[in-house]
Structure formats: structure tokens, C-alpha cells
Amino acid sequence: MAALFGRRMRRGAASTAVAAAAMAALSASGAPSAVSEQPAAAAADRPSAGAPGQEDPSITGDSPYYTELPELKGPGRNDPPDETPTTGSAESGIPATVLDAYRKAEASLAASNPRCRVPWELLAAIGKVESGHARGGRLDTNGTTPSPILGPVLNGVGFADISDTDGGAYDGDTLHDRAVGPMQFIPQTWESWGRDGNGDGRRDPNNIYDAALAAGSYLCAHDRDLTVERDLHQAILGYNRSQEYLRTVLRWYDHYRKGAHEVPDGSQPAPGAPAGTGGTTPSPAPVSPGTPSPSPTKPGKPAKPGKPAKPAEPGDGSPSKPTPPPTTPPPTTPPPTTPPPTTPAPATRLVDLGDGALSAPAGERFADRPAVRAERADKKPAARAKVRFTVAGETGTTFEGGATTVTVTTKADGVAKAPALLAGGKPGALTVKATLLGTTEPVTLGLRGEVTAPRADKLVRTDETGLTCGAGDTFEGRIALAATRDGEAAPGVAATVTVLAGAEPADGEKAAGKGPYFLTPGDEPAEDRRTRELTLTTDAKGNLLLPELHTDDTTGTFRLRVETAGGAVVVLELEVTEAA
């Protein structure tokens, strides 16, 4: 559309690539406006598949944002981003309540997720780009915007096509989704990442404390460390998959790190309004993306001279009488009226939508998300019902982001789906309690789950000892291996060690009855402690050190097979020769 936000507003025509990216991302970021929507970002600015951050759902669906950059010392706006901004400049000012929300979100995440190390200046940079710090800090005493900050309607016309997921509960639109609030979450993304940052028992995307904490939790997903450049870039691109967006946020981030100060709430112009107006100038009327500008009039024949105007009547004080405007006849058919909305019947029960117990190895993400359907007394789906999910048990399992309790609003189909579960490090049983809120007697449904033993996807030998030994002797040295999962050390992984006869595998083979063997601990005679099958566990660094391997008087070729939980396998060939 034609509106400019800040000094410049990013514009671009809609494209199939934009829609596909946004649908895959499940969300949409818009330079928000209470009056009008904005155009989609240019498709040419999107990173290619596999770019950093592509594995995450985008918070905002890659729609428009404010591209105003901070002023820098130097002759022009293209100065290097490491120059120091003017101390105390107006653009360094952040409204008091907004700044307080950013700082409290940083402190909360430092306690709940210390590895992430999210700085408040990064939240400020994103808040500046997404909503101009909640339209210059126009908030009530609780930190909530007086009216919703809404992004564009994601109806596929110039933007992604994302059908309504919340029954209009957040964005007021029952046909399509729109990004909502100071940090611009679309409804279904807010369902997963919404947080209660001000402790009032509600998760409101229009509240700066809730939205700032939710944005920080999202940036910290996937065990990120935001002091690592790759993790930082992935987190920002997860908000909006645009390299220009990344550069803009990093520019503001650098600016705020070098100095920012508090200003009174509402003392700055709202984004897009001329300075000095207090942000009250309404946005221009929307224009469809790609609408061409009016072309200049082609030169034509000179206009014929008109008749001279009739002299005015004496005393009327004007050179000529005005021509009365044409009148428009009133419409013959009255415009249709919209019936008042009806309040649906409340939910009365919950139905488990899972197909069995939830299960995941320790330290990994559960494949299935806890999901329930809220139903009314007539067993029809209940939209906009509040369902609270709580993880209980001693496994250390949490929802993605570190929370153990989240509240989700059901969609039009009555379905409430919790965020992904991350298995803790202790195997065991757990329960996810789903509680239907807003009823006289809350309904609770217990969803059972389990954290299984950790697993490894790769096993390698790390020693260099020989694998040949004389009959009746002991192999020199001990065999050592290392287990990893996704390239990281895999501690606590169970491994089965088996001595097998022959050089080639056979169907249904079992541990050899003679040949190389291990000794189990104990006080019994060695003959009674011989075994050719062991179960061991990797240490804290994923290492596995086998016991000494002995031989009886049987010569020949044998195989030592080591397999971990998760299917990582190493097979070593052992040779037993005649005794010296």
C-alpha cells in the first residue's frame, strides 16, 4: 500500500514464493497499523531454502516491517554500522514501559534459560522494527495497547494465504489470520509461544510484557546461545526470513547496545506519522500491492477557449457564482445489516486426540504434541475455549522454550495443541495434564507419556590396540569407543557388547559358546564369571571403555559386535592364534 512507515517502508508485489514461505512458516510479520495493512516484502529478498533459521516456524510469516534505520555519525545513511550514534538522540529513546518489559524479559529468561543469554537490546531492536515500540509506547497502566496492533490480512492477495486459526479471538478476523500486538505474533504462533510476562494469569499478545517474554522464548528455541553469531542470525531469520530484515534488526541491535535511554510513554510520534503530530495522523488509504502510479498526461490538442465568465451580480463579493455540485440520488435498497454476534455455548469436556502414549528418548524432542478437543454439551467442537497444559513427573521434561505450563485457546474445530515437548535427561514416566478452564468445575484429562533411555546415532572406535591374541592369553589394551547423537556426545546411552563366532554374520546367531570372553565383577572363580555378552552405558562424555578381553584355548576368527540404543553399530574382527 502507499503508506510509508518511518523513513521508508519495505514494499513488493505478492508472489507464490512469498505465500509458500509464509504458509510453511505458519505466521506473518507486518509493520502493524490500527487503520490499514501493509504490502508484502519483496520476494527477491527471501533467503533460499536451507538458509539459517529455515528450520524454525517464522513468528510472523514474513510480511512487512518498519525499515527505518538509526542515524549514524558521518555524511550519509550508508555509513558502517559500527559507528557510534549520537548520545541521547531521539531515536535512542525507548518508552519507559516498553523498556521495562524488554529488561524484565531478559531477566526472566536469564533465570529459566541461562544458556540462551538473550539481551534486552535484541528484543528492543525487534520491537522497533515490528511496531515502533508499541506505536511509541501508547499503552495502558498494565502495558496493554488501547487498541490491537494488527498486521495485514493474510488472504493471499499480496500476502501469504493463512486461513483463520483462532475464530477471530485475537485478530478479530474469522476468515484469515493477522499478526497481532507489539511483537507481531499470528494467532497460531501465539498459541505455542505466548507467555504471561506480567503475572496477571493471562497471555495477551497485545500486552508488551507478555509479548516481549514470548519473543525472547522463541528466539531461545532449539537450545540457542545468542552470543554465537550463527544462533543469533537463525533466531532473527526465524522471525522474518529476509536478509534485509536481518540487516535491519542487527543495525538497531548494534545501535541500542551503544546507548539507549528511557523516554516517557507516548512522548514519541507513532511510526509513520510526521514528527510533532504525536502520532495522531491517520494512515493513508490502502492501495493494493503492485498498483502502478498515475502516469503523466499525454500531450494533446490545446483546449478550446471557453466562454468568458458572466460578471458577478453587484454585492455578492465573488467574481462568479459557484456552480452547485451534482446531487446523487439516494439508494433505493437499504444496505444490508450485520446481525449481532452470538455467544457460543461453553465447552464442558475434553477429548484426547492422541493415538497412544507420548514417548521420546532422553534429551530429544517428542514426535507428537499433546492435543485435545474441547466439546460442548451437544458434543460439537467448542471454539475459543481455554485449555491449560501442565507437565508433571520427575523426568525434567518441559515444553519447548523451558515452560512446564502453557495455556492454549482452541480453534474453530475445538482443537488445542500444546507446544512440542522436550524430553528431560532422566528416563521415566510423565503425565501431561490438560485442564479446561472457565468452567465451574475445571475438567482435567491426563495424557500419559514416557522418557526412554537416551540413544546414539553414531559409534566409532577411538583406541588403536591390536585385535590379535594367542590362545589362552589376554588381548593387549582395552577397546574404547565414542557415541554421538546429531554430532554431539551422547551420555548415558546403553550399549550391548557380544562376541560372535566366525568372520561372516548368520541369521539368528547368538553369542559364541567359546573363544574370546569378558570377566564379570565378583568373588567367584574366574571360570564362573566368563561371559561373551555385556550391557554397558556411555559415560558423561559419550565414551565407552570395554573390559579386558581374554581368550580360551579355541583358535580362529571371531567378531566383536557393539550396538547402542538408537541403532549405532561397530563390528570388530578378532583373531585368536595358536598359543606361543
Side-chain angles (χ1 to χ4, degrees), residues 37-338:
E37 292 84 31
Q38 294 84 38
D45 188 38
R46 305 280 177 231
S48 59
Q54 191 69 28
E55 75 279 4
D56 300 331
S58 156
I59 281 281
T60 56
D62 310 339
S63 55
Y65 51 89
Y66 296 102
T67 58
E68 180 183 16
L69 294 176
E71 292 287 357
L72 302 174
K73 291 181 179 180
R77 295 189 62 81
N78 294 323
D79 295 339
D82 56 352
E83 294 202 28
T84 305
T86 305
T87 303
S89 63
E91 64 186 6
S92 298
I94 301 176
T97 300
V98 181
L99 180 58
D100 183 54
Y102 295 150
R103 286 174 169 164
K104 284 184 176 177
E106 177 193 55
S108 176
L109 289 164
S112 64
N113 192 353
R115 170 183 166 79
C116 178
R117 293 181 278 191
V118 58
W120 70 260
E121 293 92 343
L122 177 59
L123 297 175
I126 292 174
K128 173 71 174 178
V129 169
E130 292 297 335
S131 70
H133 300 312
R135 298 199 202 107
R138 280 154 179 78
L139 304 163
D140 64 17
T141 54
N142 295 319
T144 304
T145 58
S147 59
I149 301 177
L150 298 176
V153 177
L154 300 176
N155 58 6
V157 181
F159 306 100
D161 187 358
I162 302 182
S163 298
D164 173 60
T165 61
D166 66 330
Y170 292 118
D171 55 17
D173 192 327
T174 57
L175 295 178
H176 296 89
D177 272 348
R178 302 176 69 171
V180 181
M183 303 303 279
Q184 289 291 277
F185 284 81
I186 68 165
Q188 56 186 309
T189 312
W190 182 257
E191 293 288 347
S192 298
W193 292 100
R195 300 289 185 267
D196 178 13
N198 60 355
D200 64 356
R202 298 176 62 244
R203 300 183 309 134
D204 184 357
N206 297 299
N207 182 276
I208 185 61
Y209 290 96
D210 294 0
L213 182 58
S217 299
Y218 176 84
L219 295 171
C220 290
H222 303 300
D223 201 27
R224 292 189 183 110
D225 177 356
L226 297 185
T227 62
V228 176
E229 184 179 88
R230 182 177 181 274
D231 284 1
L232 174 65
H233 288 193
Q234 280 185 333
I236 296 172
L237 286 169
Y239 227 102
N240 188 308
R241 304 189 200 290
S242 157
Q243 293 296 326
E244 177 62 25
Y245 181 87
L246 173 65
R247 288 189 291 270
T248 303
V249 170
L250 289 176
R251 184 76 164 261
W252 278 109
Y253 176 38
D254 181 71
H255 179 78
Y256 288 135
R257 289 175 65 193
K258 291 178 179 177
H261 61 279
E262 178 184 304
V263 297
D265 290 345
S267 62
Q268 296 176 317
T277 66
T280 59
T281 302
S283 299
V287 176
S288 298
T291 301
S293 302
S295 58
T297 304
K298 294 182 179 180
K301 296 179 180 180
K304 295 181 179 180
K307 296 181 180 180
K310 183 179 179 181
E313 295 293 333
D316 67 1
S318 62
S320 62
K321 290 184 178 181
T323 302
T327 60
T328 303
T332 57
T333 303
T337 58
T338 302

Side-chain angles (χ1 to χ4, degrees), residues 359-387:
S359 179
E364 298 188 39
R365 182 188 305 215
F366 282 70
D368 298 320
R369 292 164 55 186
V372 298
R373 182 174 61 249
E375 294 183 347
R376 306 190 308 237
D378 58 5
K379 296 187 179 181
K380 291 185 178 180
R384 306 187 193 182
K386 300 290 185 181
V387 179

Side-chain angles (χ1 to χ4, degrees), residues 170 196 200-203 345-350 372-375 382-390 405-410 416 433-445:
Y170 292 118
D196 178 13
D200 64 356
R202 298 176 62 244
R203 300 183 309 134
T348 59
R349 71 170 193 155
L350 294 175
V372 298
R373 182 174 61 249
E375 294 183 347
R384 306 187 193 182
K386 300 290 185 181
V387 179
R388 182 174 62 214
F389 292 94
T390 304
T405 299
V406 296
T407 301
V408 177
T409 302
T410 61
K433 296 179 180 179
T435 303
L436 178 63
L437 305 179
T439 58
T440 54
E441 294 184 5
V443 178
T444 298
L445 193 65

Side-chain angles (χ1 to χ4, degrees), residues 391-488:
V391 182
E394 303 298 325
T395 63
T397 299
T398 66
F399 293 111
E400 196 168 34
T404 55
T405 299
V406 296
T407 301
V408 177
T409 302
T410 61
K411 304 175 185 178
D413 58 3
V415 174
K417 187 173 287 189
L421 285 167
L422 297 180
K426 184 178 179 181
L430 62 92
T431 302
V432 179
K433 296 179 180 179
T435 303
L436 178 63
L437 305 179
T439 58
T440 54
E441 294 184 5
V443 178
T444 298
L445 193 65
L447 314 177
R448 300 198 175 278
E450 180 186 15
V451 175
T452 59
R455 62 182 183 177
D457 56 25
K458 188 174 182 180
L459 187 65
V460 296
R461 184 183 175 196
T462 58
D463 72 287
E464 297 181 354
T465 59
L467 299 179
T468 300
C469 181
D473 206 345
T474 300
F475 282 83
E476 181 181 354
R478 296 169 65 183
I479 297 172
L481 304 105
T484 57
R485 181 180 65 249
D486 297 330
E488 301 288 338

